[in-house]
Amino acid sequence: MQTLTQLWLFFLVVLAVVLLPGMDMAYVAGSSLVGGRRQGLLALTGIVAGGICHVVAAALGIGLLLKLVPGLFNAVLLAGAAYLAWIAWSLLRSRSAAALQADAPRLAPRAAVLRGALTSLLNPKAYLFMLAVFPQFIDPQRGPVWLQALVLWLIIAVTQALVYGPLALAAAGARHWLAQRPSAGLTLNRTVGIVLLLTALWTAAAGWRAA
């Protein structure tokens, strides 16, 4: 098992990565603004669930495959950027702020979680982290790899909850204020779309250079 010092170091690295604006953060905030607190927290649940897949992939050596086959990594990269850009375009083409109204239709819980998981799975930042950082904290000589990976995933999940949870609640609180101001809500609708689109473009460019 990893030492306490190693676990604290891993936590600090994860915290730094999670605090960086990216697809996961943008999706959680956008989900709360559009669907309220519950949808934002469901999106967070999906993000955390998607992290399980990243950890399993790294533990099984799939991360090595992505590193050895750059074309596969680039395909995931572009898929993630395209997915985020699609969400952004949906917001930008909206002609009303209905999505921010209290009686606006919400995603079903399962759909909200699945979209969050998909966002996590298509997040290039997560793959870069798994390729560059995660393996350094796994040592087969210290015990079962699966147990070490589980501990690291718990640290990732708790860190995401600590950062994205308050973000989801804050965005949901702003949503109620915006629901009473249609023009401000429409402006925010477009602003969120622009931010998501810029995030998609930045993610694609930065990730492609890193790959």
Side-chain angles (χ1 to χ4, degrees):
M1 185 59 63
Q2 301 96 330
T3 66
L4 186 59
T5 300
Q6 287 177 312
L7 295 179
W8 271 108
L9 179 59
F10 183 76
F11 165 72
L12 293 175
V13 173
V14 171
L15 179 61
V17 172
V18 172
L19 285 173
L20 288 173
M23 289 179 63
D24 292 350
M25 180 179 289
Y27 185 73
V28 171
S31 294
S32 282
L33 285 171
V34 172
R37 178 178 60 184
R38 184 166 182 260
Q39 188 161 311
L41 294 178
L42 287 171
L44 170 57
T45 301
I47 296 294
V48 172
I52 298 177
C53 298
H54 287 300
V55 170
V56 171
L60 294 178
I62 296 178
L64 179 61
L65 176 61
L66 289 173
K67 189 173 183 178
L68 294 176
V69 187
L72 182 59
F73 178 87
N74 290 338
V76 174
L77 173 72
L78 293 178
Y83 173 68
L84 197 61
W86 173 73
I87 297 176
W89 178 246
S90 298
L91 290 173
L92 289 173
R93 66 192 298 267
S94 173
R95 296 186 179 277
S96 71
L100 297 175
Q101 295 175 2
D103 58 350
R106 311 291 204 282
L107 286 176
R110 182 179 179 183
V113 173
L114 287 177
R115 286 194 180 187
L118 181 60
T119 299
S120 177
L121 291 174
L122 294 177
N123 187 354
K125 185 172 71 173
Y127 288 98
L128 292 173
F129 176 82
M130 287 301 174
L131 289 173
V133 178
F134 193 84
Q136 300 180 35
F137 292 88
I138 296 289
D139 185 354
Q141 297 182 355
R142 289 183 175 272
V145 171
W146 69 268
L147 183 57
Q148 295 182 56
L150 175 62
V151 172
L152 297 181
W153 171 74
L154 288 174
I155 292 176
I156 295 172
V158 170
T159 305
Q160 289 175 323
L162 291 174
V163 174
Y164 297 151
L167 175 65
L169 297 179
R175 178 179 181 272
H176 294 295
W177 181 86
L178 290 165
Q180 301 174 357
R181 298 164 176 81
S183 60
L186 179 58
T187 299
L188 182 62
N189 223 22
R190 302 287 174 80
T191 302
V192 172
I194 292 173
V195 171
L196 291 177
L197 183 59
L198 291 176
T199 301
L201 294 174
W202 179 85
T203 299
W208 189 276
R209 289 196 300 269

